[in-house]
Amino acid sequence: MTTFSNFTYYNPTRIVFGSGTIASIEKLIHTDKKILFIYGGGSIKTNGVYAQVTEALKGHTFTEFSGVEANPHKETLDKAVAVVKNEGIDFILAVGGGSVIDGAKYVAAAALYDGDGWDILEWKHTVKKAVPIGAVLTLPATGSESNGGSVITRAETQEKRFFKSEAVYPVFAVMDYTVMTTLSDRQLANGLVDTFVHTAEQYLTYPTDGMVQDGYAEALLRNIAALAKDWENRRTESWQKNLMWTSNQALNELIGVGVPQDWATHMIGHELTAIYGLDHGQTLAIVLPALLRQLRLQKSKKLLKMGRNVFGLEGADLTEDKTIDKIEALFRSVDVKLTLSEYGIKADVDAVVTALKGHGMTALGETGSITPDVAACILQRAL
Ligand code: NZQ
Ligand code: ZN
C-alpha cells in the first residue's frame, strides 16, 4: 500500500467557538487598526449579527463595505480593494458565509498587488502578502474561516476560479453557532452537502496507510450521516453547533495532509455554478455521485472502506454501488436534488467541458485520469 508522504501542516487561525463569542472581536483586533468591515447582502442586519459586531467595535475605527454577493464577484470586490488602498485600511473583518470570507481574502491580497486582482485567480501572480483578515462565520459549509482558499467569480466572463495562499488564512475565526438560527433549510442542507463532499474529496481516492487522515475523515463523514439522519432536529442548538464544527474540520486542511486528493467534483461544480447559477452545494450533490459511478473501479477500495466504516454496509451489501446509493440517499434525505434536469436545467455538456479546458482542468482527480472526455461522461450521467 502507498505510504502517506511528507508534509508541512500550517494553520495559524485562532478559533473562537461558541455562543456569545462575537463580542470577543473587541479584543481580537487591536484598536490601532483601521478596519474594513465587509459583509454580504444584509442577512446580518436582520439577525442581530451586525448589531453585535458594531457594538464590539465601538472603540475601533472602521469603514463598512456591504453587498458581497453569493459566489462573490471580482467586479464588486474591486470596489473594496479601492477602499483599502485609498483609506489605508490595515485589517479586514469579514462577517458572513464562505462568499464574504473568500471575497475578503481576494480583497486582502489584491490590495497589496499593483496589477489586476484577476491575475491572482489566473495564477499569474502568486500571493505572498495580504492585509490581515479576521472572520465571523455565519454559515457553516466551506471551511473558508480557517483555510487559505478563496473562490471568486468574474461575472463579465462567467468564470469561477480559485486561489490558495498561506497569506490569506484568517488570523481568527469567530464561530458563534447561534447565528445559524436564521439560515434557511436550503442553506443548512447546502452546508451539510459541502462538508460531506470536502471530506469525500480528500478520502475517496486510492488507499494509503494514513491512519489519522482516514480515521478522522471517517469520523467527520459519520457526523454528517448522523446529522442528515437527524434532519428533523436541524433547528436545535446541538445539531447546529455540530454542523458548524464538523464543516470547519472538514476543510482546515488537516485530513488531506500527505494523502492523495481528488477535487474534480469541485472543479466541475464551479463551472456549473458559473454557467447555470446553481448554489455551490447543489452542484456538488449533482456531480459527486455521477463521478463516483464513472470511476467506481478506480476508487473501489476506498468506496468499500467508506461503505463499511461510514455506512455500516457488510456482506453482500458491501459494494461500490451500494455505497454510492447511500451517498445519494443522504443528499436526498436533506432535500437536495441529484441531477441537473431536476433543477429544470438542460445542460450543454460541451460548453461545460470547454470551460474546464479553458481553465486548464484537463487532468483532474487524484491520478489525473479525468480528461475532458471523462468529464463529459460524468456530466452525461448528471443530466
Ligand atoms: O449575503 P447575505 O445576506 O449574508 O446572505 C447569505 C447568502 O445569500 C446567506 N447567509 C449567510 N449567513 C446567514 C445567511 N442567511 C441567514 N442567516 C445567516 N446566518 O446565505 C447565502 C449564501 O451564503 P454564501 O456565503 O454564498 O454560502 P457558502 O458559505 O456556502 O459559500 C459559498 C461560496 O464559497 C465557495 C463556493 O464556491 C461559493 O462561492 N467555497 C469556498 C471554499 C474555500 N474558501 O475553501 C471551498 C468551498 O468548496 C467552496 O468552493
Ligand atoms: Zn465546497
Side-chain angles (χ1 to χ4, degrees):
M1 191 190 300
T2 311
T3 195
F4 70 92
S5 59
N6 294 1
F7 63 86
T8 300
Y9 182 61
Y10 173 76
N11 192 320
T13 306
R14 177 191 304 275
I15 305 281
V16 184
F17 189 95
S19 164
T21 48
I22 294 176
S24 67
I25 60 176
E26 178 192 351
K27 302 238 158 37
L28 289 166
I29 312 173
H30 203 279
T31 45
D32 67 3
K33 293 286 180 199
K34 278 191 90 175
I35 304 168
L36 183 72
F37 166 20
I38 184 164
Y39 56 98
S43 67
I44 64 165
K45 289 239 167 116
T46 53
N47 63 12
V49 172
Y50 176 87
Q52 291 180 63
V53 170
T54 49
E55 173 65 23
L57 294 182
K58 259 191 332 211
H60 291 71
T61 310
F62 67 91
T63 303
E64 288 183 33
F65 185 91
S66 64
V68 177
E69 49 284 275
N71 308 304
H73 292 177
K74 167 212 179 331
E75 290 85 348
T76 304
L77 298 167
D78 279 341
K79 295 181 188 145
V81 172
V83 176
V84 173
K85 286 184 171 171
N86 296 338
E87 297 190 16
I89 298 286
D90 56 6
F91 193 90
I92 298 177
L93 178 66
V95 182
S99 293
V100 170
I101 300 170
D102 283 6
K105 291 174 179 175
Y106 171 88
V107 173
L112 299 190
Y113 171 59
D114 286 336
D116 186 312
W118 196 249
D119 291 349
I120 298 168
L121 282 303
E122 290 189 332
W123 299 49
K124 290 179 188 157
H125 168 64
T126 306
V127 176
K128 293 266 171 56
K129 54 184 180 175
V131 176
I133 301 165
V136 174
L137 182 67
T138 65
L139 193 173
T142 63
S144 184
E145 67 278 6
S146 69
N147 70 36
S150 167
V151 190
I152 305 297
T153 296
R154 181 158 73 168
E156 189 198 345
T157 50
Q158 279 192 318
E159 285 176 280
K160 190 172 184 190
R161 310 285 306 265
F162 78 99
F163 78 96
K164 288 182 83 169
S165 169
E166 285 190 359
V168 298
Y169 274 84
V171 291
F172 65 77
V174 171
M175 298 169 60
D176 180 344
Y177 52 82
T178 63
V179 308
M180 292 172 64
T181 51
T182 51
L183 288 169
S184 64
D185 284 351
R186 168 172 157 186
Q187 288 155 345
L188 287 175
N190 281 342
L192 194 141
V193 169
D194 201 12
T195 305
F196 187 93
V197 179
H198 291 159
T199 315
E201 298 245 53
Q202 297 167 87
Y203 175 89
L204 282 178
T205 56
Y206 54 82
T208 71
D209 58 1
M211 294 170 76
V212 169
Q213 296 90 325
D214 275 9
Y216 197 28
E218 286 167 5
L220 298 173
L221 292 165
R222 281 194 298 271
N223 284 1
I224 292 301
L227 291 170
K229 202 165 173 198
D230 198 26
W231 181 241
E232 63 181 345
N233 285 317
R234 62 194 175 280
R235 295 286 154 200
T236 62
E237 190 175 289
S238 173
W239 196 98
Q240 296 191 345
K241 75 199 287 194
N242 274 298
L243 177 61
M244 188 174 255
W245 188 221
T246 304
S247 73
N248 174 270
Q249 295 294 291
L251 199 49
N252 68 350
E253 320 270 358
L254 177 66
I255 58 171
V257 292
V259 296
Q261 304 187 15
D262 182 339
W263 298 111
T265 295
H266 269 71
M267 295 307 115
I268 298 171
H270 287 169
E271 303 298 357
L272 294 177
T273 297
I275 299 174
Y276 301 110
L278 288 169
D279 294 349
H280 175 61
Q282 293 172 337
T283 66
L284 304 177
I286 291 168
V287 178
L288 182 73
L291 180 146
L292 295 177
R293 300 248 185 239
Q294 182 69 30
L295 299 177
R296 55 190 279 290
L297 294 180
Q298 178 179 318
K299 290 177 182 285
S300 167
K301 289 202 170 74
K302 291 305 280 285
L303 275 169
L304 296 177
K305 191 168 180 185
M306 181 192 268
R308 188 171 50 244
N309 294 347
V310 176
F311 295 115
L313 297 175
E314 49 188 32
D317 283 337
L318 183 55
T319 66
E320 295 88 348
D321 277 329
K322 288 201 169 151
T323 303
I324 303 167
D325 290 347
K326 286 282 183 191
I327 295 170
E328 289 183 333
L330 190 159
F331 295 161
R332 282 254 187 253
S333 73
V334 297
D335 259 344
V336 179
K337 300 173 174 36
L338 300 177
T339 59
L340 286 152
S341 53
E342 286 178 75
Y343 288 101
I345 293 169
K346 254 180 109 338
D348 178 348
V349 169
D350 287 344
V352 181
V353 172
T354 301
L356 282 168
K357 280 198 236 168
H359 298 145
M361 305 287 172
T362 52
L364 293 170
E366 65 274 15
T367 62
S369 66
I370 305 180
T371 59
D373 286 348
V374 176
C377 294
I378 292 168
L379 285 158
Q380 286 293 346
R381 289 175 185 269
L383 289 176

